[in-house]
């Protein structure tokens, strides 16, 4: 090997000589220092030991699977103090060979190659023994020992100058980072180092490596060299270049996925950036509570979120610049839909509630109640009546909740069992509709019906024994309620027979009959001629009332009766009423009323009235302008017909009314008002009528009107006993139907306003609704209300209305609203202790609640008869003549309002017996019949008058008496009354 090395040295020396370089001939080491003649030093060399090993190693002999074989043992080495010594070994073997050198048997750290060069030696190193172990997969072999001899000094070996054997390498760093340069050199120790930057010595940089301070951009392209020196000379390394990179931070995006996570969940943050290091935090730029070391494209989770939070991606470049971007995460608010059912009323028991939570992690709900218990969303209530609170609370956010109220109720009957009329042997079913019901029990005349425990009760074949009162008791866990009584009537019965009547020749006679049962009914009136025994059907007399033609004394003794046929085909015959026709004179009776009509502008319509009475009748027509309550006499209009002049049929005369007063020496009669609809004006040809239904039934009101223009409608309603009318929403057609009725609706009043958008709107007459059984009227020992000077009833059920004392005013009021469709009243009035002349009289009043009449209303004293001022219809019995009065005594019917008192009377009869006499007791029996607007009044069996009267559809009934400057005692007795629904 040494021969090969010597040969290489000679070859290299020959080449270097051509380059004008010199090699020291006495150099005995494997490396040397070359010196250029032109000055300065250049590094020449390579490590000759490696070259020799390469030349002599023999290469690989192939894989044998044997332990290594040392083909060249380490050899002894001699060196001077301060120099190094190199040992080497050559070995062969299969696979990879590993080496470990030992110094005096101790492994040398890091000495794991085939050569080992000692550090600079000291004299104490002399005699050290070096070995090496060579290992492969097949085993380990240890070399022969080689001894190191260190000479204290030598005059024959000169010191070696430094030689750089490993140059500093170029370095690239980011701004702010440090860079480290290092050099490896050989030479006689001690070696010293001095680093320079761009030719300038760096203070303190005197070791074999140099680390710069934190770099700045100005350090870019700086050149670093190191000079190694010893006693023999010096060597300067090649320059190493420092490249300083200044990166620009770019914060591209910070994606929030999702930006609106569910409440109390986390979001995922995904940064995208370049040009620096990055952190993510929630406290602004530079915050790092999410991550201290973000990686672009990675995902990072936030904590659980219950409020909006903004996160910042901060990217710091090498030069310290910072770029940032943000994203805001707003967790959805937890919301809960309204609870269903909401604000409900139920029977005690169980109830399922529902609500939907959204926006939360689980969207689960916890259900609670102020009483009772929940299993899931099913509430088991207590059995105590009351209102309870139901609460649904979010599991995700317990501060979010919704509530509703639930009321535990007794059963509530919404549909009462209706009274029914059934044919004999027909079936019928009674039914009740109830809310919050659990069980039912039907009763007949107060006794429970076995097995009748459902919401309906079936009667398969109705007979007389089934007639009676039926109720049903509805029960739940909180208690029970009982329905109204439903009356079952089998077949039909006559409730009011015709009443015998006396009239004066020249009058008409009116008879009526009423029935209840299996409606609708058909009627036929018969007359038995005086002295006869067989009735003859009267042609056309087929309604519940019959008004005869004008009669004379030849009809006296005739008897009248009616047959009533029900829907089952049953025929009932009323009792007969005897008619007495007396000779004499009588007040006017209007037979045919003037008719409302439509008239063209400028036309001359004719109005006609037909009246009877004796002696001779006179006529006076009146014009009542639209909107007025009283009329003005039309000059010259004094016959039974009146032709309206063209000057009174202008468009401004639309809805003017005309009426006529027919008079003779025994009284007067006021016609109905005939209205003229001028041009396109509106004419109501059929007014709404009262409606009678059972509870639970529907009720329909209708009007018929004409106009040249399209019509619109609006219905109004006032509550029972009320005077305030309100428009009914949606009731805008010619008819109005209330879908379901209850008993508390009875007495409600309705009217309709008809419009066409051009001419004056027209208001219909009022009509009332009656539900179930009609309210009756008791005798005078009943619940009559006493007002003013009226005294309580005596043992005979007679009531003193006024005493024979000046300034008296007494009144009795039936406290319940009554139907006026078919009412029959009979009573006796007795006057006594009268002054001379007597004063003032008494009255019967049907007060109109829709105009303000109440059970506390009372009229004026004196000539007001205790009735003036009560709105409604007044039947006056006057025995004192005040200015403007008809001759006394008289019976008259008119309006009670102060502005309309005696202005004028509708009917007046002055041909009557005295009502009171000074110093005498006077008593008369009266019968008042009102059937579908026709009022007939008899006094001691003789008809005083019969005529059409506009009575209120529902009314309070009053009897009153008063005195003024004169007096009389007035007592009412023998009162009886029937109130029925008018027959069809």
């Amino acid at each position: 090997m040494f021969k090969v090395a010597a040969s290489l040295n000679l070859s290299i020396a020959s080449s270097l000589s051509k380059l004008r370089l010199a090699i020291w001939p006495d150099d005995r080491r494997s490396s040397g220092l070359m010196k250029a003649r032109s000055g300065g030093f250049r590094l020449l060399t390579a490590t000759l030991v490696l070259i020799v090993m390469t030349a002599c190693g023999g290469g690989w002999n192939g894989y044998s699977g044997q332990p290594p074989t040392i083909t060249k043992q380490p050899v002894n080495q001699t060196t001077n103090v301060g120099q190094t010594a190199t040992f080497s070994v050559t070995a062969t073997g299969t696979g990879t060979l590993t080496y470990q050198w030992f110094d005096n048997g101790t492994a040398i750290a890091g000495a794991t190659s085939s050569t080992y060069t000692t550090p600079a030696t000291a004299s104490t190193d002399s005699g050290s023994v070096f070995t090496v172990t060579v290992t492969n997969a097949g085993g380990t072999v240890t070399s022969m020992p080689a001894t190191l001899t260190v000479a204290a000094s030598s005059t024959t070996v000169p010191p070696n100058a430094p030689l750089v054997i490993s140059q500093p390498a170029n370095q690239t760093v980011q701004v702010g980072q440090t860079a480290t340069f290092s050099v490896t050199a050989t030479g006689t120790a001690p070696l010293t180092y001095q680093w320079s930057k761009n030719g300038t010595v760096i203070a303190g940089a005197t070791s074999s490596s140099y680390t710069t301070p934190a770099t700045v951009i100005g350090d870019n392209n700086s050149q670093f060299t190191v000079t190694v020196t010893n006693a023999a000379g010096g060597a300067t390394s090649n320059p190493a270049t420092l490249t300083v990179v200044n990166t620009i931070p770019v914060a591209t995006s910070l994606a929030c996925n999702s930006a609106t996570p569910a409440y109390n969940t986390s979001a995922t943050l995904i940064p995208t950036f370049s040009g620096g290091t990055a952190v993510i935090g929630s406290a602004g730029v530079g915050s790092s509570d999410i991550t201290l070391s973000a990686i672009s494209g990675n995902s990072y989770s936030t904590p659980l979120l219950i409020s909006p939070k903004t996160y910042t991606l901060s990217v710091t470049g090498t030069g310290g610049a910072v770029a940032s971007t943000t994203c805001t995460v707003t967790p959805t608010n937890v919301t809960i839909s309204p609870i269903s059912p909401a604000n409900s009323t139920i029977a005690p028991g169980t109830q399922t509630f529902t609500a939907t939570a959204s926006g939360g992690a689980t969207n689960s709900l916890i259900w609670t109640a102020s009483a009772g218990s929940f299993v899931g969303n099913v509430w088991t209530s207590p059995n105590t009546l009351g209102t309870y609170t139901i609460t649904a609370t979010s599991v995700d956010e317990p501060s979010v909740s919704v509530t509703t109220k639930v009321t535990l109720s007794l059963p509530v009957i919404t549909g009462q069992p209706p009274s029914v009329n059934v044919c004999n042997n027909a079936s019928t079913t009674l039914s009740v509709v109830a809310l919050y019901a659990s069980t039912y029990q039907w009763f007949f005349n107060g006794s429970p019906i076995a097995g009748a425990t459902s919401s309906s009760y079936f009667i398969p074949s109705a007979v007389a024994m089934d007639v009676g009162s039926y109720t049903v008791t509805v029960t739940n866990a909180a208690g029970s309620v009982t329905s109204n009584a439903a009356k079952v009537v089998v077949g039909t019965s006559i409730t009011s027979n015709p009443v015998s009547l006396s009239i004066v020749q020249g009058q008409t006679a009116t008879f009526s009959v009423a029935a209840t049962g299996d409606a609708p009914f058909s009627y036929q009136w018969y007359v038995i001629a005086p002295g006869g025994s067989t009735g003859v059907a009267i042609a056309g007399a087929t309604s519940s009332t019959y008004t005869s033609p004008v009669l004379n004394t030849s009809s006296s003794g005739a008897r009248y009766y009616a047959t009533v046929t029900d829907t089952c085909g049953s025929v009932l015959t009323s009792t007969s009423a005897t008619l007495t026709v007396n000779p004499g004179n009588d007040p006017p009776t209007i037979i045919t009323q003037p008719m409302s009509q439509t008239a063209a502008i400028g036309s001359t319509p004719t109005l006609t009235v037909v009246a009877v009475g004796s002696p001779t009748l006179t006529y006076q027509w009146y014009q009542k302008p639209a909107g007025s309550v009283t009329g003005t006499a039309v000059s010259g209009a004094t016959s039974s017909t009146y032709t309206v002049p063209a000057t009174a049929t202008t468009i401004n005369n639309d809805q003017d009314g005309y009426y006529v007063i027919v008079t003779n020496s025994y009284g007067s009669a006021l016609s109905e008002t005939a209205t003229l609809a001028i041009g396109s004006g509106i004419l109501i040809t059929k007014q709404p009528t009262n409606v009678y239904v059972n509870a639970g039934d529907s009720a329909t009101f209708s009007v018929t009107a004409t106009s040249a223009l399209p019509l619109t409608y609006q219905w109004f309603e006032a509550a029972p006993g009320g005077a305030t009318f309100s428009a009914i929403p949606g009731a805008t057609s010619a008819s109005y139907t209330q879908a379901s009725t209850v008993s508390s609706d009875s007495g409600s009043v309705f009217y309709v306003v008809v419009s066409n958008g051009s001419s004056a709107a027209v208001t219909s007459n009022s009509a009332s609704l009656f539900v179930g059984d009609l309210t009756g009227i008791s005798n005078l020992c009943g619940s009559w209300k006493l007002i003013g000077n009226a005294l309580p009833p005596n043992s005979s059920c007679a009531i003193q209305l006024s005493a024979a004392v000046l300034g008296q005013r007494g009144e009795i009021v039936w406290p319940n609203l009554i139907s006026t469709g078919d009412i029959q009243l009979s009573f006796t009035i007795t006057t006594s202790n009268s002054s001379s002349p007597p004063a003032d009289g008494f009255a019967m009043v049907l007060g109109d609640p829709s105009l303000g009449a109440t059970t506390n209303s009372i009229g004026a004293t004196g000539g007001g008869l205790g009735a003036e001022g009560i709105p409604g219809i007044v039947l006056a019995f006057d025995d004192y003549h005040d200015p403007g009065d008809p001759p006394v005594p008289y019976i008259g019917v008119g309006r009670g309002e102060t502005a309309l008192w005696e202005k004028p009377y509708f009917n007046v009869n002055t041909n009557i017996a005295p009502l009171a006499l000074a110093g005498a007791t006077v008593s008369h029996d009266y019968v008042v019949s009102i059937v579908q607007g026709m009022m007939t009044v008899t006094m001691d069996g003789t008809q005083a008058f019969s005529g059409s009267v506009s009575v209120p559809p529902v009314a309070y009934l009053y009897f009153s008496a008063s005195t003024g400057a004169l007096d009389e005692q007035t007592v009412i007795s023998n009162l009886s009354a029937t109130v029925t629904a008018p027959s069809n």
Side-chain angles (χ1 to χ4, degrees), residues 179-191:
T180 297
F181 298 92
S182 62
V183 68
T184 302
T186 62
T188 302
L191 298 177

Side-chain angles (χ1 to χ4, degrees), residues 6 193 249 367 395 511 536 543 548 671 792 840 843 907 961 976:
Y193 302 87
W367 291 89
V395 170
F511 300 96
V536 176
S543 70
S548 72
S671 74
D840 274 279
N907 291 92
S976 66

Side-chain angles (χ1 to χ4, degrees), residues 839-916:
D840 274 279
F842 48 91
M844 184 193 88
V845 183
L846 291 172
D848 189 343
S850 71
L851 297 178
T854 71
T855 56
N856 295 315
S857 299
I858 189 168
T861 59
L865 308 180
E868 180 184 354
I870 302 175
I873 293 296
V874 174
L875 180 61
F877 302 80
D878 200 346
D879 56 16
Y880 181 82
H881 188 271
D882 290 305
D885 278 359
V888 293
Y890 68 85
I891 301 175
V893 61
R895 298 295 305 182
E897 296 92 320
T898 300
L900 299 176
W901 181 257
E902 299 180 351
K903 296 178 182 178
Y905 282 118
F906 302 145
N907 291 92
V908 175
N909 187 342
T910 61
N911 186 24
I912 62 172
L915 301 175

Side-chain angles (χ1 to χ4, degrees), residues 175 238 400 402 438 465 604 653 776 856 909 917 937 967:
V175 169
N238 294 338
V400 176
V402 293
S438 298
M465 65 181 296
T604 56
N653 297 116
N856 295 315
N909 187 342
L917 292 171
V937 179
D967 57 67

Side-chain angles (χ1 to χ4, degrees), residues 360-433:
T362 66
N363 291 329
S364 298
L365 295 172
I366 295 175
W367 291 89
T368 57
S370 56
S373 61
F374 264 101
V375 175
N377 61 335
V378 179
W379 181 52
T380 299
S381 75
N383 290 332
T384 304
L385 298 179
T387 298
Y388 299 89
T389 300
I390 306 299
T391 303
T393 302
S394 168
V395 170
D396 299 307
E397 174 50 292
S399 67
V400 176
S401 63
V402 293
T403 63
T404 191
K405 300 290 186 182
V406 60
T407 299
L408 299 183
S409 172
L410 290 170
V412 175
I413 295 176
T414 58
Q416 297 285 349
S419 296
V420 293
N421 297 102
V422 295
C423 301
N424 279 297
N425 299 312
S427 64
T428 189
T429 299
L430 302 176
S431 297
V432 69
V433 179

